[in-house]
Amino acid sequence: MHLEGLVEQACRHLSAHAMGQQTVRPMEGLVLLRQSTPSSLEASLYSPVLCLILQGRKQVSIGEQTLSFGLGECLLVSHDLPVSSRVTKAPYLAVVLAVDAATIRKLYDEVTESVLDSGRARAAVTHRADAGLLDALRRYLALADSLADAKVLGPLILKEIHYRLLVAPFGGMLRRLIRHDSHASAIARAIGHIRGDIRSPIAIPELARRVGMSASSFHKQFKAITSTTPLQYQKELRLLEARWLLKKGGASVTTTAFEVGYESSSQFSREYARKFGLPPSQDVPSGVE
């Protein structure tokens, strides 16, 4: 019943738009996505987010990990992750909610009985959404019809949603993030350092020291949490940034390669083509040499 109500509300908000790929933002941090046909693989950077599928099916690859989820299932991402994703079944309809780490940490004192999971947890997991989460999302989306209600009740329901994610069976990584001294928090800080300067080569011992870990433990935990290595993670960020710069226009392939940290434009072109399936020159607007 909650899923049907959420589908009905989402379709109503999208009804004023023509069919095809659509993006609507009815509430703070909330996005509705609709697509009428399956898609090819698309590389992007996911911030911490919850993605609930209301129609269709999607596949997301993060490093060596590939996840597939469909109707009534959700993807929870706890860290900034470079991903490759595609809609595998259409029509596709999804609700996407930004997950706020600060809100999660503020809940720490209110869920003191919650302990860090001893089992394995990753920065991206899929799970079927339970009735409580579906109902909270439905009530949050319903606030879009009243600015006054949204202003007063919105923060309360957002807190409820974050709480439900925190205590959910698939919220293990979020439960680790509420502890500043956890490996999950250390890797999140390391990701922040990498994103803050994608041009400079990564010195693993120095980066590990900055987040309070040994080099060996840092490398192991980074791979366990993100399904990739720090060096591969940085390369993914560089290539995503390069594609954005090229499509924006105004810079050549060689200039863009150096701008994102490559020392060899030929190596950049090879890795770009391997990542996106076409040479970087094809993403350069006409008139830019």
Side-chain angles (χ1 to χ4, degrees):
M1 179 62 72
H2 295 309
L3 184 61
E4 293 175 357
L6 196 49
V7 171
E8 181 180 345
Q9 285 190 4
C11 289
R12 181 166 56 83
H13 283 288
L14 287 159
S15 62
H17 300 265
M19 288 301 293
Q21 185 172 358
Q22 298 166 37
T23 302
V24 176
R25 293 175 170 81
M27 287 287 295
E28 180 182 357
L30 189 70
V31 179
L32 301 177
L33 300 175
R34 181 167 66 183
Q35 189 162 311
S36 58
T37 60
S39 66
S40 56
L41 277 175
E42 179 180 351
S44 59
L45 181 69
Y46 277 13
S47 297
V49 72
L50 173 74
C51 176
L52 170 68
I53 294 185
L54 304 180
Q55 293 176 352
R57 194 166 189 85
K58 191 169 191 177
Q59 177 182 299
V60 176
S61 296
I62 307 102
E64 300 172 354
Q65 182 185 21
T66 298
L67 302 168
S68 180
F69 57 116
L71 176 65
E73 296 176 318
C74 55
L75 169 73
L76 178 61
V77 178
S78 60
H79 295 64
D80 296 330
L81 296 177
V83 308
S84 294
S85 63
R86 65 188 180 101
V87 172
T88 56
K89 182 180 179 181
Y92 173 78
L93 177 64
V95 176
V96 180
L97 180 76
V99 174
D100 181 38
T103 300
I104 292 293
R105 292 193 176 100
K106 287 178 182 177
L107 289 166
Y108 177 71
D109 291 335
E110 301 177 47
V111 289
T112 51
E113 74 281 1
S114 177
V115 296
L116 297 182
D117 291 357
S118 58
R120 188 178 187 182
R122 281 185 164 177
V125 292
T126 57
H127 200 277
R128 180 161 296 279
D130 64 26
L133 178 59
L134 292 174
D135 181 53
L137 287 169
R138 180 190 60 79
R139 285 184 281 113
Y140 188 61
L141 179 56
L143 294 178
D145 295 327
S146 170
L147 291 178
D149 288 351
K151 183 177 180 180
V152 176
L153 300 177
L156 300 177
I157 300 179
L158 266 182
K159 181 179 179 181
E160 177 190 347
I161 293 171
H162 281 74
Y163 168 76
R164 291 187 179 279
L165 293 175
L166 183 63
V167 300
F170 59 103
M173 189 58 73
L174 296 184
R175 291 192 284 276
R176 294 183 180 190
L177 275 174
I178 66 176
R179 290 282 300 274
H180 184 76
D181 59 351
S182 68
H183 287 149
S185 290
I187 298 306
R189 295 195 300 275
I191 285 173
H193 290 310
I194 296 173
R195 291 196 63 188
D197 184 10
I198 64 171
R199 297 184 61 185
S200 300
I202 294 178
I204 297 296
E206 171 62 19
L207 185 54
R209 184 193 64 78
R210 293 179 71 177
V211 299
M213 300 176 69
S214 68
S216 59
S217 177
F218 171 73
H219 197 279
K220 178 182 178 181
Q221 292 299 325
F222 196 100
K223 181 80 178 283
I225 290 173
T226 69
S227 298
T228 190
T229 66
L231 295 178
Q232 181 64 32
Y233 184 95
Q234 184 189 55
K235 184 171 79 171
E236 296 282 333
L237 291 185
R238 286 176 170 179
L239 292 172
L240 288 171
E241 176 70 9
R243 194 174 207 195
W244 180 80
L245 290 171
L246 288 173
K247 289 190 171 185
K248 185 177 70 169
S252 67
V253 171
T254 299
T255 299
T256 300
F258 291 128
E259 179 66 25
V260 299
Y262 277 85
E263 297 180 356
S264 165
S265 60
S266 59
Q267 179 187 0
F268 166 71
S269 294
R270 287 195 303 271
E271 294 185 352
Y272 191 99
R274 190 179 305 122
K275 172 70 176 177
F276 300 114
L278 75 172
S281 58
Q282 291 192 27
D283 277 333
V284 178
S286 58
V288 178
E289 299 182 355

